[in-house]
Amino acid sequence: MRAFIVEDNSVQRKYLKTLLCDQNVRVVGEAATGEDAVRQIARLQPEVVFLDIALPESSGMEVGWKIDTNIHKIFVTGDHHHALKAFELGSLDYLLKPVSPERLEITLKRLRKIIKQTHQKLILNLKSSTIALDIQQILFIEKMPILKKVTFHTLDGECSISGTLNEYEARLKNQGFARTHNSFIVNVNKIKRLLPSGDKSYIIKLHHTAKEVPLSRKYAPMLKPLLY
């Protein structure tokens, strides 16, 4: 498991890192401010972020809103008054300082179970090989013009395969994917924002890529409720 710690107190940061390492969690990065945290998390893409709430420049809550929704968030703070807001933001847990090893172990057991469930694979049969594609690595799927093929745009590159968009829409409909256009399916968790492009249609900006995906007026009413 890859974790990131956001904590402005160096002693608390070191203590939490030690607890996580004792639980076989790999800490891939640390930050003492909100702005630095957002930059590093976007680059490192950890599976979970442990967030203090009181931070210089911006609060832990603000950091939580800015990072990829696919990254699990756990708040670690000395103040219990923010618990409701934390869970409204989608926090997996809310730990009060000082965190005990026993309490952290309970949280990590739950987290590992969730990560195991979400790391599902999509089996793709290519001409010369078969690959198991991690579903959450997929950014969007595009129908190829004329050819009866689709292209998977992923965090690691592109992969084209025979098939139809309707086929993969059916296979992924309960995995956080949605149709946005006659030629596109998008991983909803990778959507950064929608830009109006006229006639009740939009351009979708995604995390991790400069490529854009259209959202047609036909599919906009079905997609937009999934973002809130």
Side-chain angles (χ1 to χ4, degrees), residues 65 69 88-89 176-180 186-195 202-207 215 219-228:
W65 283 115
T69 55
E88 287 176 349
L89 194 150
F177 287 75
R179 192 74 168 252
T180 67
V186 166
N187 184 340
V188 176
N189 290 322
K190 303 302 183 185
I191 294 176
K192 185 188 300 183
R193 62 180 179 272
L194 304 181
L195 301 178
Y202 298 83
I203 296 296
I204 299 175
K205 303 286 288 186
L206 298 164
H207 292 285
L215 173 59
Y219 292 101
M222 292 173 276
L223 177 73
K224 290 172 73 175
L226 301 178
L227 302 178
Y228 305 102

Side-chain angles (χ1 to χ4, degrees), residues 60-180:
M61 292 291 182
E62 291 174 308
V63 174
W65 283 115
K66 292 177 181 178
I67 63 178
D68 191 331
T69 55
N70 197 45
I71 297 173
H72 299 288
K73 294 171 283 288
I74 296 173
F75 285 93
V76 185
T77 178
D79 188 348
H80 69 276
H81 291 98
H82 300 284
L84 179 59
K85 287 185 178 179
F87 287 114
E88 287 176 349
L89 194 150
S91 175
L92 179 70
D93 208 342
Y94 191 92
L95 305 178
L96 291 175
K97 299 176 183 178
V99 181
S100 70
E102 294 77 18
R103 180 64 177 84
L104 182 62
E105 183 178 7
I106 292 171
T107 298
L108 292 175
K109 281 183 178 179
R110 181 184 175 201
L111 177 59
R112 286 189 171 103
K113 183 177 180 180
I114 291 172
I115 289 175
K116 184 177 180 181
Q117 290 173 341
T118 56
H119 280 194
Q120 299 185 38
K121 303 291 184 179
L122 183 65
I123 305 301
L124 301 179
N125 296 309
L126 306 179
K127 281 187 176 180
S128 57
S129 63
T130 299
I131 62 173
L133 182 63
D134 188 331
I135 286 176
Q136 290 308 318
Q137 296 288 308
I138 302 170
L139 300 173
F140 65 95
I141 310 170
E142 179 182 6
K143 175 184 176 182
M144 304 304 294
I146 304 175
L147 301 174
K148 194 177 181 180
K149 285 189 174 184
V150 296
T151 295
F152 288 80
H153 297 262
T154 77
L155 292 175
D156 296 323
E158 299 178 4
C159 172
S160 294
I161 187 170
S162 297
T164 67
L165 214 57
N166 288 340
E167 172 189 348
Y168 289 104
E169 180 182 19
R171 292 174 66 177
L172 295 169
K173 67 179 180 180
N174 295 320
Q175 305 294 336
F177 287 75
R179 192 74 168 252
T180 67

Side-chain angles (χ1 to χ4, degrees), residues 7-56:
E7 167 66 68
D8 63 327
N9 185 303
S10 60
V11 175
Q12 294 282 355
R13 197 163 62 242
K14 183 177 181 180
Y15 172 69
L16 181 56
K17 183 176 182 179
T18 299
L19 290 184
L20 289 170
C21 290
D22 288 344
Q23 296 278 358
N24 296 315
V25 176
R26 180 187 171 199
V27 178
V28 297
E30 305 171 28
T33 68
E35 290 185 5
D36 186 31
V38 172
R39 285 193 296 268
Q40 288 201 61
I41 292 168
R43 177 174 58 86
L44 295 170
Q45 285 297 295
E47 292 169 290
V48 60
V49 174
F50 289 84
L51 279 161
D52 187 17
I53 289 180
L55 296 169

